């Protein structure tokens, strides 16, 4: 069974902390994505990557950065966490051909206090 | 940028009622269309997808969707819902040959037994 695994299901961090959210996929997919999901706002794309060491800004990249040193791993970094970054974070991966569809991880619910 | 509109964010209906969720997108070129479902506490799952061919697409669990190009729409339907269909439903689109999914804001569907 193919999987996208997010390292933490729940996280609580303090304002100003540096936060790492990790995502690993075992499908040898080129594309990986980070979204945040908020009630009434749907899923909004933060960053994505088409290949190792490549990254592209999504719709809401402010306050975030990413790292993709290996094909299977895509990390989301909150340089200085703020309360407005409290959210559900979803990682996804896909093949490079457009429209194949994504496989999603189970999500990390981050609370910044 | 691609935008996806879903109306009637909250839908409440009784078992055996019919369900139709609207989805409209903004891109005028070639699109790939998806409906995802998120059951309470679970990760996003693909319900159905449209790439080309027959505009009436059948998915899992008795769902279907119809692509109407002239109306930029991809509405989801189920003739008779069950309590287990309680979930959040997201319409999503890729366009222009890229693999970047744009999501609507979702429909929260509650089925009353």
């Amino acid at each position: 069974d193919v999987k996208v695994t997010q390292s933490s299901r729940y996280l609580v961090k303090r304002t100003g902390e540096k936060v790492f959210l990790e995502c690993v996929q075992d499908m040898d997919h080129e594309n990986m994505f980070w979204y945040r999901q908020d009630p009434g706002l749907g899923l909004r794309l933060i960053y994505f990557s088409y290949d190792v060491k490549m990254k592209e800004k999504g719709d809401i990249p402010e306050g975030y950065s990413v790292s993709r040193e290996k094909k299977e791993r895509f990390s989301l970094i909150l340089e200085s966490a703020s309360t407005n970054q409290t959210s559900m974070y979803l990682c996804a991966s896909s093949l490079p051909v457009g429209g194949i569809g994504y496989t999603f991880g189970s999500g990390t619910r981050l609370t910044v206090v | 940028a691609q935008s996806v509109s879903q109306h009637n964010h909250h839908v409440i209906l009784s078992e055996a009622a019919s369900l139709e969720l609207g989805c409209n997108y903004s891109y005028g070129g070639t699109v790939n269309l998806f409906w995802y479902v998120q059951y309470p506490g679970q990760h996003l799952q693909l319900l159905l997808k449209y790439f080309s061919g027959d505009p009436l697409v059948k998915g899992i669990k008795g769902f279907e969707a119809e692509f109407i190009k002239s109306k930029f729409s991809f509405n989801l339907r189920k003739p008779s819902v069950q309590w287990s269909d309680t979930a959040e439903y997201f319409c999503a689109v890729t366009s222009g040959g890229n693999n970047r999914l744009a999501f609507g804001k979702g429909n929260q569907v509650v089925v009353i037994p």
Side-chain angles (χ1 to χ4, degrees), chain A residues 32-78:
Chain A
M32 296 189 74
F33 306 83
W34 275 106
Y35 288 85
R36 62 178 283 176
Q37 182 180 9
D38 299 289
L41 295 179
L43 279 76
R44 293 178 291 167
L45 182 63
I46 305 171
Y47 266 97
F48 59 104
S49 169
Y50 287 142
D51 205 345
V52 176
K53 296 192 185 295
M54 293 182 67
K55 57 185 179 183
E56 298 280 345
K57 292 181 180 179
D59 299 318
I60 51 164
E62 295 77 19
Y64 303 93
S65 62
V66 290
S67 173
R68 191 157 182 213
E69 296 296 318
K70 294 184 178 181
K71 189 176 185 180
E72 67 271 17
R73 185 179 296 271
F74 192 36
S75 303
L76 180 69
I77 304 158
L78 287 66

Side-chain angles (χ1 to χ4, degrees), chain A residues 13-112:
Chain A
K13 296 292 182 180
R14 294 194 181 277
T15 300
E17 277 194 75
K18 190 169 186 176
V19 181
F20 293 86
L21 303 183
E22 305 288 346
C23 175
V24 177
Q25 51 97 0
D26 64 0
M27 297 165 284
D28 201 35
H29 283 169
E30 283 79 2
N31 298 344
M32 296 189 74
F33 306 83
W34 275 106
Y35 288 85
R36 62 178 283 176
Q37 182 180 9
D38 299 289
L41 295 179
L43 279 76
R44 293 178 291 167
L45 182 63
I46 305 171
Y47 266 97
F48 59 104
S49 169
Y50 287 142
D51 205 345
V52 176
K53 296 192 185 295
M54 293 182 67
K55 57 185 179 183
E56 298 280 345
K57 292 181 180 179
D59 299 318
I60 51 164
E62 295 77 19
Y64 303 93
S65 62
V66 290
S67 173
R68 191 157 182 213
E69 296 296 318
K70 294 184 178 181
K71 189 176 185 180
E72 67 271 17
R73 185 179 296 271
F74 192 36
S75 303
L76 180 69
I77 304 158
L78 287 66
E79 295 290 342
S80 177
S82 63
T83 55
N84 63 13
Q85 292 178 310
T86 291
S87 186
M88 172 68 86
Y89 290 88
L90 296 177
C91 177
S93 72
S94 77
L95 290 168
V97 178
I100 295 297
Y102 293 8
T103 300
F104 282 89
S106 297
T108 297
R109 184 164 293 282
L110 173 67
T111 301
V112 182

Side-chain angles (χ1 to χ4, degrees), chain A residues 9 31 33 35 37 40-43 45 48 50 57-59 90 94-95 97-102 104-106, chain B residues 1 9 32 34 36 38 41-46 49 51 88 90 94 97-106:
Chain A
R9 187 78 176 99
N31 298 344
F33 306 83
Y35 288 85
Q37 182 180 9
L41 295 179
L43 279 76
L45 182 63
F48 59 104
Y50 287 142
K57 292 181 180 179
D59 299 318
L90 296 177
S94 77
L95 290 168
V97 178
I100 295 297
Y102 293 8
F104 282 89
S106 297
Chain B
H9 182 63
N32 297 309
F34 305 83
Y36 283 86
Q38 188 173 35
Q42 296 189 26
H43 63 276
L44 276 163
Q45 303 172 42
L46 183 65
K49 59 189 176 186
F51 296 158
E88 190 155 19
F90 294 94
T94 62
N98 73 62
N99 201 28
R100 181 174 159 169
L101 260 181
F103 283 86
K105 293 184 177 180

